[in-house]
Structure formats: C-alpha cells, structure tokens
Amino acid sequence: MAEALLEAKNVSKHFGGVVAVNSVSVTIEQGSIYAVIGPNGAGKTTFFNALSGFYIPDGGQVLYKGQDITTMPNWQRVQLGMSRTFQTPSIFPELTVYENLLIGVQSQQKIAFKLRLPSAARKKEIDARIDELLGFVNLVHLKDRPVAELSHGSQRLCEIAMSLSVDPTIVLLDEPMAGLAEAETERIMRVIRDLHDRLGLTVLFVEHNMRVVLSLADHITVLDRGAMLAQGTPSEISNSQTVREAYLGQEVLNRV
Amino acid sequence: MNRRQKQGYITAIAAVVLLAILPLKLGSHSVLSLLHLDVSILSEMLLFAIAAMSVNLLLGYTGLMSFGNAAYFGLGAYGAGLSIHYLNMNFIEGAIIGTAVALVGGLLVGPFLLRRRGIYFALLTLAFGQVFYFIAYRANEFTGGEDGMSFPRPYFGFPGWHMDLQEGTFYYLMLLVFAAVLVGFWLIVRSPFGRTLQAIRQNELRVRYLGLDSNKFIFVALLVSAAMAGLAGALYGLLIMFAAPLMLDWQQSGDFVMIMILGGAGSIWGPVVGSLIYVIGKDIISTLTQTWQIYIGALFVICVIAFPSGLLGTLLNSIARRDVGAPISEEAAPHKARESGAPAGNAAVAAEQKES
Ligand SMILES: Nc1ncnc2c1ncn2[C@@H]1O[C@H](COP(=O)(O)OP(=O)(O)OP(=O)(O)O)[C@@H](O)[C@H]1O
Ligand SMILES: [Mg+2]
C-alpha cells in the first residue's frame, strides 16, 4: 500500500449554528486522484479550506506526510508541497499571464523577497520555467495578456498553472470545471490526467459532474450536509445503495 | 533595454534637467522669478513628492490606504530638529536621525497595522498618527508643544569640509536626494519584492497560496514607507527650520494622500505631478485668497471626478491607447465578460482562438 500523503482525521468546521463539515476523515495516498463529491452546500469547499489552512478546523486533525499541520499557516503548507485552486479562480487580474506565473516561480525559487533583479542567467531559467508551465496548460499564446481579459476557462487553466508554479506534491482543485462548456471541460480533464500521469502529482478535486468524477478518480468521498456519506473506489460508489438513494439519481449511474 | 524602460530613463533625465534649470537666471530673470515663485517652493514640492511616494508605495503598490504617513513625516522633522537643537548635530546627522526616528515609529506601529486590512487598516493608521500628534503636542518643555520648535539649519558637510546651504543650494541638494529616492523607488517596485507587493494589492490570498508570507512583505513595505516619509519630513524641517505638531496631523496625512491621488496612484511619477500641482497651486491661490484650502479641495474633487486614475494616469492611459491601438478586438468585451461572472466570455474564447 502506498503511503498516506494527506490525511484528515475527524475534521469538523461550523459557522455559527451551521455544521458545514462534520467529522470527516479521508486518507489520500501518494499518487492517487481523489475526488470529493456532494450536492450544493454539502461542505466540500469548507473541507478543502480546512485542509489547506484557509480555516483552522474546530475539531479533528490534518496530517501531511504524518506531520500535524492542523494549525499551520496556509503559506507554509504551500511550501511543504500542497497547493490549491479556488472555486472562483483566484488570480492577479491586472497582471499578465506571464506575471501571474512569475510571482509563483519567484516564490518557488526563494527570490520573492529580493530587492535586486535576478541575474540574466536566473531570468532565463525563470522564463523557461514559465514557458514550461504555460505549455503544460496550453496558454503560451496568451502569455502577455492581462488575465482579466481571458475567458473563464483560460483563467482556470492559468490558475492551475499558478498552483503548479510552486512545485507541489499535491494539488487541491475546487470544482475546476464549474461553469465551463463541454469542450473546455474536456480540456481541463486532460490537464488533470496529465498532472497525475506526466507530472506524477497527487490530485484532490471537488466536482459535481458524475461522469467526470467516475472517469478520473481512483478514490471518492461523498459528502452530504457536512457528513461523510460514502467512501470508496468509483465502482464501489456507483454500486453503493446509500449513495444511490441519498444523492445520485438512478439514471445518472445507469448511464455510466 | 526595452522601449518602456528607455522611455522611463528619458522621462527621468528630462524631468531632473528641467527641475535643475528652473531657478537658473538668464539675465535678471529665471523661469521661477517670472512665475513669481520662490525656489524654496520647489524644495517643498520635491519633499512633498517624496512623502506622497511613501503613501503611494502602500496604496498604489501594496493596496493599503495609509492616513498616518504624516506621523512619520513629523517624526522626521522632530528627529532632525531635536537632535540639532539639543545635541548639536550637523545637517547630515540631523537628516539621518530624523529618518531613523520615523523608522522606529514604523517598527512600533507596524506589528499592529499588520493585523488589519482595508478600512480597518486605514483607521488604525489614522489613530496611530493622532497618537504621535498628541505626544508632540503634549511634550511641552521638550518640543515646544503647540507652538512648535524652531532650530537653526546647520552647515552641510563632514568634518573637514562643509558649506552653508542657502535656499538655492538647498534646492539642488534636494534635487539630488529626490533623484536618488526616485531611482531607489523604481528599483524597488521592479524588483521581485516590488512585484510581489503589486500582487498583494491585487490578491493577497493568492500570494499566500503561492507560499509567501504576505505579512512579511507588508511589514517591510511599511518600514520603507515610514523611512521615506521620515526623510522627507527631516529635510522639510531643515528647509523651514521648524517642527510643529501640525506636521504629524491627519490633515497633513490627508494632503499626502490627495497629492498622490491627484497625480495618480500606482505610478512612479504620479505623486511628483500631484505635488507640483498641489504646492504651486497652493502658493498661487493663497496669494489671491485666504480661503485657499476650499479651492484646493474643489480642484481635488474636480480632478478625481474628471481623471479617476489621476492626472498623469489618465494622460498615460490615453497615450497608451493611441500607441498600441486596441490590441483586443472590441467584440471580445473582456471586462464585461468578466463582470457578468462565470460561464460568460464566449466572445473572449473566440478572440483567443483567433490569436492562437
Ligand atoms: N464563511 C461562511 N460563513 C457561514 N457559512 C458558511 C461559510 N462558508 C460556507 N458556509 C455554509 O457551510 C455550508 C457548506 O458550504 P460549502 O461552501 O463548503 O459547500 P460546497 O459543498 O462547497 O457547496 P457548492 O457545491 O455550492 O460549492 C453551507 O451551508 C454554507 O452556507
Ligand atoms: Mg464549493
């Protein structure tokens, strides 16, 4: 069995009286593509936020490679190797695609705090890295455009490239395909495959579209009203009676 | 060197040369005397420009509104004045001590400011500014209280060489300092550090999720800003040979913000243009009427409404638009696509595909 990379143990988070996440435990093994699914308001984003340090959970533990990171500041988690995207792309809208990636590459190369311009050799290295990242998500042709001018799908891809710029071990993608047309969904699916197959990354993602989840993920957790409803492989999930009854429409599963 | 850089160098050199020849006499007149302006007005203009640049580093680049930079400005003036008055410091020492005192002020309040953002940050800078104001106001025996304190302008120089600074030579010294600050500022905002500040202005959360401790960057920006304002204040104290509580007051802070916004936040030259308009406008209008503040205020309101990105900003934008000639097709309407939210932007997609 592969080693556990990221673990949540009985993680809970509530907002006032609303229990957004209720004692959820998952174990994400190195090299897997792990999906979190559930209806609107199930607590998927809140769970992501607790894992990535956007919120400190009210209860439970988050472990990364066995280290307790429950209360670690978010930027330190990124340095450890966890990066993420957001349900609404979080980018630098007025900066160009190139500059958006530059911030991350500077961070990864530990030169973001420098007051001196990078040397010519270093600059070349940085530019090559940015080209590589843009090549990966197919945005090279938009390099010098302000990100605000890009389509929603391209902004998503730019954000994914940004999350890669820090050289992560695991990427957390919150609904990377939400609101996209079919063609762009395909494009992002291919990118997620490549993250795993070509870059050897571990991927944790939230997604509504059952077809996408069942074809991409090797492990799935189903959340419903903050609680864990089921957990397992795609075939276990699609055959689970609980999931069928509680969440998934019968026809959805029959089609797969 | 790319075209924009070249333009930057040319603008900088042209501006400094222009500023240098303004007071020069041709026959019995100079440009200044023809405008009935005193050379010390130009010194004031340069020093206010530096103070407005210190606000610009925070608002225009980092996205943090400071209504308290006059506190550093005043600390600089008092630091210089007190050290000259009580400790017999020379000009250079006075300027350095003034700057250092402002920096210490920044070190003291910085950790508290770091915890706040947006309007709370602005209010806290205002509150801290007033704390320093009241200290200067209250410490009667030491600072002269409400009336302020006069002090002499020491010789400029080092042991072995020194010169007397008259208004003219003082101005050229200020021009030198200003040029140095401008170059320093330009280097900072272009550096990896400066680019990270600009990223923080746009989206601090994303900066953190790129593995950067944004607080560390903001703290250093606060210190640089405090030191710049302190230097400007120390030299301003040496210019008018006086330090008073009003220099630390929120109204003074507001003037720096106004100067920056007049010219255009987020650009290197904006505060300089703003300062030119403010100082000269104030000088001309105040000879005509007692209630000059009303007119400056009105001018400010008109400018903000007519030129939302500042006088310089608006000018540059219009030049840039003519220059590049709308690289993005109109039907792409990218901004609209973005504002209308998620799945929009089909037009933008089309435009991208056309390009690729
Ligand atoms: N900051 C917040 N303050 C208060 N309540 C919140 C907050 N964030 C989320 N919630 C509530 O917590 C619950 C879970 O929300 P969450 O955003 O995690 O759901 P989700 O599964 O990501 O939904 P979606 O599919 O719509 O993105 C919801 O009831 C939501 O209203
Ligand atoms: Mg969500």
Side-chain angles (χ1 to χ4, degrees):
Chain A
M1 190 180 128
E3 87 182 275
L5 181 64
L6 182 61
E7 269 180 283
K9 289 187 174 168
N10 304 313
V11 165
S12 298
K13 175 76 197 173
H14 54 76
F15 299 102
V18 182
V19 183
V21 174
N22 189 5
S23 194
V24 173
S25 300
V26 299
T27 302
I28 297 152
E29 289 168 3
Q30 178 117 35
S32 75
I33 301 185
Y34 202 114
V36 175
I37 62 172
N40 283 327
K44 306 178 295 294
T45 296
T46 307
F47 181 59
F48 254 49
N49 286 342
L51 290 179
S52 64
F54 188 90
Y55 300 128
I56 307 297
D58 302 315
Q61 267 188 320
V62 182
L63 305 179
Y64 182 80
K65 292 185 176 167
Q67 182 190 352
D68 188 335
I69 59 164
T70 314
T71 57
M72 180 184 273
N74 42 27
W75 56 272
Q76 277 179 9
R77 299 182 202 221
V78 178
Q79 291 183 351
L80 279 187
M82 291 171 66
S83 68
R84 70 168 288 182
T85 65
F86 291 79
Q87 197 164 338
T88 333
S90 176
I91 50 177
F92 307 118
E94 290 168 29
L95 301 186
T96 63
V97 171
Y98 172 88
E99 290 165 333
N100 266 267
L101 290 166
L102 178 64
I103 304 297
V105 173
Q106 283 179 169
S107 166
Q108 192 272 325
Q109 303 216 350
K110 308 263 176 267
I111 57 166
F113 210 62
K114 289 253 182 330
L115 282 171
R116 283 191 37 212
L117 283 179
S119 66
R122 176 61 77 95
K123 169 111 180 14
K124 221 176 198 174
E125 205 180 303
I126 291 172
D127 287 353
R129 175 72 181 137
I130 291 176
D131 281 340
E132 187 188 358
L133 290 163
L134 288 178
F136 186 80
V137 294
N138 249 312
L139 285 182
V140 179
H141 58 292
L142 298 173
K143 189 170 163 177
D144 296 317
R145 291 271 289 268
V147 181
E149 292 176 0
L150 266 50
S151 69
H152 194 64
S154 296
Q155 290 186 359
R156 276 267 163 72
L157 288 167
C158 179
E159 196 196 16
I160 291 175
M162 287 165 83
S163 73
L164 297 180
S165 68
V166 293
D167 236 347
T169 307
I170 178 169
V171 284
L172 284 65
L173 310 171
D174 192 353
E175 300 208 26
M177 294 157 233
L180 295 185
E182 190 69 21
E184 292 198 298
T185 302
E186 292 296 328
R187 216 171 143 193
I188 303 238
M189 274 180 77
R190 239 174 296 130
V191 167
I192 295 179
R193 274 247 155 274
D194 284 349
L195 288 177
H196 178 265
D197 298 350
R198 280 173 52 197
L199 303 182
L201 299 182
T202 307
V203 179
L204 172 63
F205 73 108
V206 170
E207 181 52 46
H208 272 302
N209 186 326
M210 208 16 88
R211 184 184 65 80
V212 170
V213 170
L214 293 177
S215 79
L216 274 179
D218 51 38
H219 282 85
I220 299 170
T221 286
V222 185
L223 292 184
D224 187 24
R225 275 163 285 169
M228 249 182 335
L229 195 65
Q231 222 163 36
T233 60
S235 63
E236 283 166 355
I237 293 298
S238 49
N239 292 324
S240 153
Q241 202 54 42
T242 346
V243 177
R244 265 167 205 266
E245 282 165 11
Y247 169 52
L248 302 167
Q250 197 70 35
E251 3 69 79
V252 178
L253 288 174
N254 290 343
R255 255 192 297 153
V256 182
Chain B
M1 191 161 46
N2 65 32
R3 198 164 132 251
R4 263 188 64 198
Q5 260 171 289
K6 211 179 282 174
Q7 280 177 351
Y9 283 122
I10 293 170
T11 319
I13 292 168
V16 171
V17 168
L18 189 73
L19 286 168
I21 58 174
L22 276 182
L24 292 182
K25 283 210 161 81
L26 199 69
S28 57
H29 288 295
S30 69
V31 180
L32 269 193
S33 64
L34 286 174
L35 292 169
H36 301 285
L37 290 173
D38 195 79
V39 68
S40 61
I41 282 285
L42 289 185
S43 298
E44 184 179 332
M45 189 275 283
L46 294 178
L47 295 174
F48 276 31
I50 295 175
M53 281 164 76
S54 79
V55 181
N56 193 22
L57 182 68
L58 295 182
L59 181 72
Y61 288 87
T62 320
L64 298 164
M65 174 59 105
S66 169
F67 277 117
N69 269 39
Y72 309 126
F73 186 80
L75 283 177
Y78 273 107
L82 292 170
S83 64
I84 287 164
H85 186 78
Y86 289 104
L87 305 172
N88 252 325
M89 292 293 169
N90 68 28
F91 188 101
I92 295 177
E93 289 163 343
I96 291 175
I97 289 175
T99 309
V101 170
L103 193 59
V104 171
L107 278 169
L108 286 177
V109 301
F112 299 96
L113 292 175
L114 272 189
R115 300 160 164 271
R116 300 279 177 267
R117 294 293 186 273
I119 186 75
Y120 303 101
F121 180 93
L123 289 175
L124 201 60
T125 59
L126 187 75
F128 275 125
Q130 290 311 93
V131 170
F132 286 114
Y133 166 80
F134 280 113
I135 293 173
Y137 190 91
R138 287 282 168 181
N140 249 328
E141 299 110 82
F142 199 50
T143 63
E146 193 182 356
D147 297 334
M149 61 177 293
S150 302
F151 52 91
R153 185 189 298 162
Y155 288 115
F156 177 77
F158 336 54
W161 175 88
H162 59 75
M163 65 184 291
D164 195 11
L165 284 178
Q166 298 306 328
E167 299 313 317
T169 37
F170 190 94
Y171 169 63
Y172 283 104
L173 180 65
M174 291 309 100
L175 194 55
L176 218 62
V177 171
F178 171 75
V181 169
L182 201 66
V183 170
F185 192 88
W186 182 71
L187 289 175
I188 287 177
V189 298
R190 278 168 36 97
S191 71
F193 173 76
R195 283 180 179 268
T196 309
L197 291 186
Q198 291 162 64
I200 289 173
R201 179 175 72 81
Q202 292 190 36
N203 188 346
E204 183 178 353
L205 183 68
R206 179 37 86 192
V207 169
R208 292 176 71 82
Y209 274 106
L210 290 172
L212 299 169
D213 180 7
S214 53
N215 275 337
K216 194 168 96 174
F217 289 82
I218 291 174
F219 189 59
V220 172
L222 283 171
L223 293 184
V224 173
S225 175
M228 284 173 70
L231 175 68
L235 294 172
Y236 187 66
L238 284 158
L239 173 69
I240 62 175
M241 296 179 271
F242 187 64
L246 278 179
M247 286 176 172
L248 297 90
D249 196 28
W250 64 272
Q251 293 188 33
Q252 184 66 65
S253 290
D255 283 356
F256 294 151
V257 172
M258 190 161 96
I259 288 170
M260 173 200 62
I261 291 177
L262 263 182
S267 80
I268 290 185
W269 288 98
V272 183
V273 173
S275 179
L276 189 76
I277 294 166
Y278 174 84
V279 172
I280 293 182
K282 187 176 87 174
D283 192 70
I284 293 173
I285 300 174
S286 64
T287 57
L288 302 177
T289 162
Q290 293 259 304
T291 52
W292 58 272
Q293 272 149 321
I294 296 177
Y295 296 94
I296 287 276
L299 180 71
F300 177 67
V301 171
I302 292 168
C303 280
V304 169
I305 293 172
F307 310 106
S309 43
L311 288 174
L312 189 69
T314 307
L315 189 71
L316 289 182
N317 283 347
S318 64
I319 291 173
R321 224 172 291 132
R322 215 171 314 138
D323 242 25
V324 186
I328 306 125
S329 60
E330 283 292 312
E331 66 267 40
H335 293 291
K336 266 189 218 115
R338 195 177 145 67
E339 276 156 26
S340 66
N346 285 336
V349 178
E352 279 168 21
Q353 279 160 355
K354 234 184 303 171
E355 265 186 34
S356 55

